Amino acid sequence: METNIPNFLKQRAFLTPNRNALVYENKAWSFIELFEEAKIYAQKISSLGIKEEDTVALLVKNRPQTVFIIHALQQLRVKTVFLNHRLTPSELIFQLKDSQAKLLVSDDDFINIQNDIHLLYDSLQLTTIQELKHLPKKEMEVVNEYILSDICSVMYTSGTTGNPKGVLQTFGNHWWSAIGSALNLGIKEDDAWLCTVPIFHISGLSILMRSVIYGIPVYLMEQFDEVRVNRLLQTGNITIMSVVGTMLQRMVTSLNGQGYHEKFRCMLLGGGPAPRPLLEACAEKGIPVFQSYGMTETSSQIVTLAPEDSIRKLGSAGKPLFPAQLKIISEGKGNIPNEPGEIFVKGPNVTIGYLNRPEANQNSFEDGWLKTGDIGYVDEEGYLFVMDRRSDLIISGGENIYPAEIEEVLLAHPNVREAGVTGIADEIWGQVPIGFVVLNHPVSEDELLSFCNQKLAKYKIPKKIFKAEALPRNASNKLLRRKLKEILPKDMEK
Amino acid sequence: METNIPNFLKQRAFLTPNRNALVYENKAWSFIELFEEAKIYAQKISSLGIKEEDTVALLVKNRPQTVFIIHALQQLRVKTVFLNHRLTPSELIFQLKDSQAKLLVSDDDFINIQNDIHLLYDSLQLTTIQELKHLPKKEMEVVNEYILSDICSVMYTSGTTGNPKGVLQTFGNHWWSAIGSALNLGIKEDDAWLCTVPIFHISGLSILMRSVIYGIPVYLMEQFDEVRVNRLLQTGNITIMSVVGTMLQRMVTSLNGQGYHEKFRCMLLGGGPAPRPLLEACAEKGIPVFQSYGMTETSSQIVTLAPEDSIRKLGSAGKPLFPAQLKIISEGKGNIPNEPGEIFVKGPNVTIGYLNRPEANQNSFEDGWLKTGDIGYVDEEGYLFVMDRRSDLIISGGENIYPAEIEEVLLAHPNVREAGVTGIADEIWGQVPIGFVVLNHPVSEDELLSFCNQKLAKYKIPKKIFKAEALPRNASNKLLRRKLKEILPKDMEK
């Protein structure tokens, strides 16, 4: 049976019109004001011929206008593709074409990227936020209800092989994610969630969704700045913040003797396992860290450490949110305590699948469970410990990097015969990628790096590329990425 | 798409095993203990041949064993019929037969009622809680997931005409009701909900469901006692309590100078409109009253006054819960501010319909909206003011009384030609029913009352029966119950 819920923003604006919805620098918008802004942008976007069930892509920053436009698209029942502005034009164009976006809306700061896209993909309709503002309004009706099975957003992730895949996030996925989080963290009247993570990632978008569902404000920052954030967390205005390890590390390092305000009750830590010393430093400083595990496919956290366990189970990602389940499959058997295996997850917050990828959908799901590819174990009490993100995944400053994508670029160079990429620990970013190549013909590291530079977002470019005689492979000639570190020069060994 | 959620109790016992689930007198059960008790009762009930999709009826008191058995039935995926123990054997048998219950489980205190039922319906399988305890355990598997569209519970309500109807409440109805309430009231780690309302009513059952979904304890009392309750609310152990007007009136009357503990944050008031002087007395004493509107068909409250409006909109039932909607239909038009009309409601907490009543289902629903039959209006800001429960409904101490049911009994007496029943105000109960009869042959009031006594629950027996020459009717000869008060003797006029 199809479940509909009243249009989240419209309902929130009706129920609690005057509560704060959004705070940015020195300006605040109430829910009724946010709804009005969303309607204005919806009318302007309508004037470009965009209508129900179309797809619109956003290349945006963490700014109020972005929030208005995201809600505007939801008012129109339009699917939104969230682009990572750190990607190269050709990476972006792949996603724009794959999602069949009818329109790209860019932040004014990204006009150069937009121009580059236009050069290569001139049939795509483009606009900037500034241009949008000057468009005429076209009468439109905001939807009364959100259909939980409708696609709300699409976010691309790369897999272990092949092209990036668009993760479909329904309104229901976002709803259940927000509800699952609420049943774990609670909802208090004075809650306020700080968003310094990118809105184009699920960590950021999910904060916007929760704000409207819970009726609490988002404090939005364009960029993470540990000094400003530390100051803000001392005011008592913020009760919850989402971070990745790199951010938290910087915050802790720059935090002076004074801790955070007692109203600050949750530092929600995602984006890969956190180093134990960092967690211990937080415990010492009284920072209430909630480690969590999640991914684009689970519409943010799906496993979170409950308040009462935060100290006792330091280092664990916790237990599933109430509506969700997890199991560990190791050699076909499930949930043997302390036995590592692949993490499977299930729940109404889990994506219904990847856009245009029947094969990936077939391979990634089993009896309604998503096979994450990540490795972990559960202890006797059922607490999850994540050991490795998808055997190959590199997480660098909260961004996911897939070795296969970089290897493909290296292999495209005529002088490269074989390529392998893996991650090594990095003090600032957690991890960074490094590459290994077997050559046909001589070529310098610099040339390879500049070749990568043309095709890959900056954060994906290997920090170093090593030349090797051969790469470690198994019997069936499959690259063993984990063994790449064994052929590192002695002085770089980890 | 079917949505499944992990078995609520099993998941809660897994996620937060050691939190308090149930407190009764001086004893407490954690969620893991509650789950263990539920499994034991499920094994015992299984030994009686009860299995998935069967229906079991409960005739029970507000006691811990009742809670265990309710959860036991859910573990087995068995539908539960909640019987009101104030009904007569013939009223109970109607519900037992209509619901095709395979088993009746009675509290030991109700052995006499059970014997009476047995005399009239000897093919029904019966057991008491005491007997259940001594049964052998049969191996069974608790369900892993609740299917939200599965029927969880059935509660009978009477309509304006004909026999009582079994309201079907799905797991989803209970889930969404709990979530809607949480999004309005918030969820705090130290929440505890006091249940002194009957578990066989939705007001009580919904507290048990919320407890498991939120992970908070229910403080259960067998009977409402204003002195004990007032004392408990001063300890800080309770944060939320559900009441009807009569209970609140008794609490306020017996409350001495000292108010409640500051942790007590919500007096959730349902069961019909509350008199203004009572609400004002509460405001004066600092009692945080949340007026609400709901019914068996909406799985408890569907409209509740948000914290920030409790004073400004005194007397209003508030706005819909987040997942729900309401509209007022007056002469075919909707939602004209301040214009009274019929209250329509919609939402995933609203019943999917009545058991075995295709006609009632057809009449009660329109485009997915439930026509409540209640009269009210919304003001300019959309706040609901309930004026009258279903034109004819009498609410007496929180119990719903339908005039048609009493009239039918009166008309069954050979000397009665016409009968009409209406409610009059009563200081203790809010309202009580009174009857009017036109006779064929003389009969005393006492004889009529004792005739009613055999067929009706005590609270339904008219406080007074008046003889009349004729009853007020409209042109098509339909009884005008509202005009009955006009033929009251002068000294009883209201």
Side-chain angles (χ1 to χ4, degrees):
Chain A
M1 209 173 35
E2 199 66 81
T3 302
N4 296 356
I5 304 271
N7 169 337
F8 301 169
L9 179 58
K10 184 181 174 192
Q11 179 79 336
R12 180 49 68 195
F14 166 56
L15 295 182
T16 55
N18 302 319
R19 284 195 201 165
N20 262 354
L22 178 64
V23 180
Y24 182 81
E25 292 174 354
N26 293 319
K27 227 173 138 15
W29 290 263
S30 65
F31 282 103
I32 187 74
E33 287 166 342
L34 176 58
F35 184 43
E36 292 305 322
E37 291 283 0
K39 280 193 286 188
I40 292 170
Y41 277 98
Q43 290 169 331
K44 291 176 180 273
I45 292 165
S46 290
S47 78
L48 294 171
I50 298 300
K51 51 184 198 313
E52 224 176 290
E53 303 198 48
D54 281 345
T55 299
V56 169
L58 300 184
L59 188 69
V60 288
K61 292 192 159 183
N62 275 18
R63 289 179 175 172
Q65 288 70 25
T66 303
V67 180
F68 305 154
I69 291 170
I70 289 169
H71 287 298
L73 294 172
Q74 296 185 7
Q75 300 310 306
L76 289 167
R77 203 173 163 232
V78 159
K79 295 167 228 167
T80 308
V81 177
F82 287 87
L83 300 171
N84 184 337
H85 56 71
R86 302 173 69 182
L87 300 180
T88 61
S90 62
E91 290 174 311
L92 294 169
I93 288 171
F94 173 83
Q95 299 184 11
L96 288 163
K97 288 191 171 167
D98 185 64
S99 62
Q100 297 185 278
K102 280 188 70 173
L103 172 70
L104 169 64
V105 180
S106 304
D107 193 283
D108 309 306
D109 287 4
F110 297 139
I111 187 69
N112 288 337
I113 305 179
Q114 208 191 62
N115 288 341
D116 287 347
I117 290 170
H118 181 65
L119 285 174
L120 296 161
Y121 184 21
D122 64 3
S123 62
L124 178 68
Q125 191 178 9
L126 305 167
T127 189
T128 62
I129 292 174
Q130 197 57 36
E131 283 164 12
L132 255 191
K133 282 187 191 155
H134 293 97
L135 286 177
K137 294 196 238 171
K138 187 182 162 199
E139 274 309 300
M140 45 71 65
E141 290 247 334
V142 304
V143 296
N144 265 319
E145 297 175 355
Y146 289 168
I147 300 165
L148 292 190
S149 60
D150 262 4
I151 307 301
C152 170
S153 48
V154 183
M155 292 184 179
Y156 279 80
T157 62
S158 299
T160 42
T161 54
N163 288 316
K165 302 188 291 276
V167 178
L168 301 172
Q169 296 160 340
T170 63
F171 281 100
N173 291 152
H174 291 302
W175 171 269
W176 287 98
S177 165
I179 297 302
S181 179
L183 289 174
N184 185 39
L185 301 180
I187 309 176
K188 296 189 180 171
E189 234 181 293
D190 63 357
D191 270 337
W193 207 304
L194 176 58
C195 177
T196 70
V197 288
I199 294 178
F200 59 78
H201 279 334
I202 187 59
S203 53
L205 178 62
S206 62
I207 300 174
L208 301 188
M209 300 304 284
R210 286 185 209 113
S211 151
V212 171
I213 294 170
Y214 303 166
I216 64 167
V218 177
Y219 279 67
L220 188 68
M221 271 192 197
E222 191 177 316
Q223 271 181 317
F224 173 73
D225 171 336
E226 62 269 34
V227 176
R228 266 187 74 204
V229 168
N230 278 343
R231 219 181 293 130
L232 188 54
L233 297 192
Q234 287 168 341
T235 61
N237 289 334
I238 305 295
T239 63
I240 308 178
M241 177 183 185
S242 302
V243 292
V244 297
T246 325
M247 293 161 62
L248 185 56
Q249 184 68 66
R250 282 163 59 183
M251 289 167 69
V252 170
T253 306
S254 99
L255 186 64
N256 51 26
Q258 200 191 347
Y260 297 138
H261 195 281
E262 57 171 20
K263 279 201 168 176
F264 180 74
R265 65 187 187 88
C266 170
M267 185 74 84
L268 188 63
L269 175 60
R276 204 179 166 90
L278 173 59
L279 294 175
E280 281 164 350
C282 289
E284 200 181 297
K285 287 180 187 255
I287 302 174
V289 174
F290 290 59
Q291 230 198 313
S292 71
Y293 167 71
M295 61 208 79
T296 311
E297 285 87 340
T298 59
S299 315
S300 93
Q301 27 144 4
I302 185 164
V303 177
T304 307
L305 204 58
E308 55 258 61
D309 302 318
S310 45
I311 298 303
R312 190 170 65 93
K313 294 285 179 178
L314 201 75
S316 164
K319 289 180 177 177
L321 298 183
F322 194 93
Q325 299 170 71
L326 81 86
K327 64 181 181 186
I328 304 291
I329 298 296
S330 146
E331 293 172 7
K333 285 188 199 147
N335 287 340
I336 304 164
N338 303 313
E339 177 109 354
E342 184 176 1
I343 303 170
F344 283 50
V345 293
K346 185 180 179 184
N349 57 320
V350 174
T351 180
I352 54 168
Y354 302 103
L355 183 65
N356 311 325
R357 294 289 189 287
E359 205 183 329
N361 289 335
Q362 184 126 33
N363 294 338
S364 304
F365 292 91
E366 197 175 287
D367 296 333
W369 291 81
L370 172 72
K371 297 148 78 170
T372 65
D374 295 339
I375 305 298
Y377 65 91
V378 287
D379 69 9
E380 291 80 2
E381 295 178 77
Y383 287 82
L384 175 68
F385 290 79
V386 181
M387 298 164 68
D388 256 318
R389 297 299 295 257
R390 318 184 195 190
S391 47
D392 301 323
L393 180 63
I394 302 162
I395 305 186
S396 187
E399 295 281 0
N400 290 353
I401 303 175
Y402 293 85
E405 205 184 344
I406 305 172
E407 288 161 8
E408 213 166 287
V409 170
L410 288 169
L411 286 167
H413 192 283
N415 298 20
V416 173
R417 190 171 66 211
E418 292 179 38
V421 170
T422 189
I424 56 167
D426 182 89
E427 270 196 16
I428 296 171
W429 302 111
Q431 282 187 296
V432 290
I434 54 170
F436 296 83
V437 287
V438 179
L439 300 178
N440 291 320
H441 301 285
V443 58
S444 72
E445 183 184 2
D446 278 354
E447 191 187 318
L448 287 176
L449 289 173
S450 95
F451 184 76
C452 289
N453 221 1
Q454 295 159 39
K455 314 215 173 186
L456 289 170
K458 276 222 175 59
Y459 65 90
K460 297 180 188 170
I461 294 168
K463 196 164 179 183
K464 195 106 191 82
I465 299 179
F466 300 97
K467 291 165 195 167
E469 293 297 312
L471 299 184
R473 295 186 179 272
N474 69 8
S476 38
N477 211 31
K478 195 176 176 297
L479 179 65
L480 297 172
R481 293 199 183 92
R482 290 185 174 200
K483 296 210 162 176
L484 284 170
K485 283 179 196 157
E486 293 174 10
I487 59 172
L488 270 178
K490 283 283 169 222
D491 61 336
M492 280 206 60
E493 261 175 36
K494 303 268 141 190
Chain B
M1 208 175 34
E2 201 65 79
T3 302
N4 296 357
I5 305 271
N7 170 338
F8 300 170
L9 178 58
K10 185 181 175 191
Q11 177 80 337
R12 179 50 68 195
F14 167 57
L15 295 181
T16 56
N18 302 320
R19 284 196 201 165
N20 262 354
L22 179 64
V23 180
Y24 181 81
E25 292 174 354
N26 293 319
K27 223 173 144 9
W29 290 262
S30 65
F31 281 104
I32 187 74
E33 288 167 341
L34 176 57
F35 184 43
E36 291 306 321
E37 291 282 0
K39 280 193 287 189
I40 292 171
Y41 277 98
Q43 289 169 332
K44 291 177 179 271
I45 291 165
S46 290
S47 79
L48 293 172
I50 298 299
K51 54 185 194 313
E52 227 178 286
E53 302 199 48
D54 281 344
T55 299
V56 169
L58 299 184
L59 188 68
V60 287
K61 293 191 158 184
N62 276 18
R63 289 180 174 170
Q65 289 70 24
T66 302
V67 180
F68 305 154
I69 292 170
I70 288 168
H71 287 299
L73 294 172
Q74 296 184 7
Q75 300 310 305
L76 290 166
R77 202 173 163 231
V78 159
K79 295 167 227 165
T80 308
V81 177
F82 287 87
L83 299 172
N84 183 337
H85 56 71
R86 301 173 69 183
L87 300 181
T88 63
S90 61
E91 289 173 311
L92 293 169
I93 288 171
F94 173 84
Q95 299 183 12
L96 287 162
K97 289 190 170 169
D98 185 64
S99 63
Q100 297 185 279
K102 280 188 70 174
L103 172 70
L104 169 64
V105 180
S106 304
D107 193 284
D108 309 305
D109 288 3
F110 298 139
I111 187 71
N112 288 337
I113 304 178
Q114 209 191 62
N115 289 341
D116 288 347
I117 289 169
H118 181 65
L119 285 175
L120 296 160
Y121 184 20
D122 62 4
S123 61
L124 178 67
Q125 191 178 8
L126 305 167
T127 189
T128 62
I129 293 175
Q130 197 55 36
E131 284 164 9
L132 256 191
K133 282 187 192 157
H134 293 98
L135 286 177
K137 295 196 240 170
K138 188 185 162 194
E139 276 307 301
M140 46 72 65
E141 290 247 333
V142 304
V143 295
N144 265 319
E145 297 176 354
Y146 289 169
I147 301 164
L148 292 190
S149 60
D150 262 5
I151 307 301
C152 170
S153 48
V154 183
M155 292 185 179
Y156 279 80
T157 62
S158 299
T160 42
T161 54
N163 288 317
K165 302 189 292 277
V167 178
L168 302 172
Q169 295 160 342
T170 62
F171 281 99
N173 290 152
H174 291 301
W175 172 269
W176 287 97
S177 166
I179 297 304
S181 179
L183 290 174
N184 185 39
L185 302 181
I187 308 176
K188 295 189 180 172
E189 234 181 293
D190 63 356
D191 270 337
W193 207 303
L194 175 58
C195 178
T196 70
V197 289
I199 294 178
F200 59 78
H201 279 333
I202 186 59
S203 53
L205 178 63
S206 63
I207 299 174
L208 301 189
M209 300 303 285
R210 285 185 209 113
S211 152
V212 172
I213 294 170
Y214 303 166
I216 64 166
V218 177
Y219 279 68
L220 188 67
M221 271 193 198
E222 190 178 317
Q223 271 182 315
F224 173 73
D225 171 338
E226 62 268 36
V227 176
R228 266 187 74 202
V229 168
N230 278 343
R231 219 181 293 129
L232 188 55
L233 297 192
Q234 287 169 341
T235 61
N237 288 333
I238 305 295
T239 62
I240 309 178
M241 177 185 185
S242 301
V243 291
V244 297
T246 324
M247 292 160 62
L248 186 55
Q249 183 68 66
R250 282 164 57 183
M251 289 166 68
V252 169
T253 305
S254 99
L255 186 63
N256 52 27
Q258 201 191 346
Y260 297 139
H261 194 280
E262 57 171 20
K263 280 201 168 175
F264 180 74
R265 65 187 187 87
C266 170
M267 185 75 84
L268 188 62
L269 174 61
R276 204 180 168 89
L278 173 60
L279 295 174
E280 281 163 350
C282 289
E284 202 181 295
K285 288 181 188 255
I287 302 174
V289 174
F290 290 59
Q291 230 199 313
S292 71
Y293 168 71
M295 62 207 79
T296 309
E297 285 87 341
T298 59
S299 316
S300 94
Q301 30 144 3
I302 185 164
V303 177
T304 306
L305 205 57
E308 56 257 61
D309 302 318
S310 47
I311 298 302
R312 191 170 65 93
K313 294 285 179 176
L314 201 75
S316 164
K319 289 180 177 177
L321 298 183
F322 194 92
Q325 300 171 71
L326 82 86
K327 64 182 180 185
I328 304 291
I329 299 296
S330 144
E331 292 172 6
K333 286 185 198 151
N335 287 339
I336 304 163
N338 302 313
E339 177 113 351
E342 185 176 1
I343 303 170
F344 283 50
V345 294
K346 185 180 179 183
N349 57 321
V350 174
T351 179
I352 53 167
Y354 302 103
L355 183 65
N356 310 325
R357 295 286 189 288
E359 204 182 329
N361 288 335
Q362 183 126 34
N363 294 336
S364 304
F365 292 92
E366 197 176 285
D367 295 333
W369 292 81
L370 172 72
K371 296 148 79 170
T372 66
D374 295 338
I375 305 299
Y377 65 90
V378 287
D379 69 9
E380 291 80 1
E381 294 177 78
Y383 287 82
L384 175 67
F385 289 79
V386 181
M387 298 165 67
D388 256 320
R389 295 301 293 258
R390 321 186 191 186
S391 48
D392 301 322
L393 180 63
I394 302 162
I395 305 186
S396 187
E399 294 281 0
N400 289 352
I401 303 175
Y402 293 84
E405 207 183 343
I406 305 173
E407 289 161 6
E408 215 168 286
V409 170
L410 288 169
L411 287 167
H413 192 282
N415 297 20
V416 173
R417 192 170 66 212
E418 292 180 37
V421 170
T422 190
I424 56 167
D426 181 272
E427 271 197 13
I428 297 171
W429 302 110
Q431 281 187 298
V432 289
I434 53 169
F436 296 84
V437 287
V438 179
L439 300 178
N440 290 320
H441 300 286
V443 59
S444 71
E445 184 185 0
D446 278 354
E447 191 186 320
L448 288 176
L449 289 174
S450 93
F451 186 75
C452 288
N453 221 359
Q454 294 160 39
K455 315 215 171 187
L456 289 171
K458 276 225 173 56
Y459 65 90
K460 297 180 188 171
I461 294 167
K463 196 165 178 180
K464 196 107 192 83
I465 299 179
F466 300 98
K467 290 164 193 168
E469 292 298 310
L471 300 185
R473 293 183 180 274
N474 70 7
S476 38
N477 212 33
K478 194 174 176 299
L479 177 67
L480 297 172
R481 293 199 184 92
R482 287 185 176 201
K483 295 208 164 178
L484 284 170
K485 282 180 196 157
E486 292 174 12
I487 60 170
L488 270 178
K490 282 284 171 220
D491 60 335
M492 281 206 57
E493 262 175 34
K494 302 270 141 186

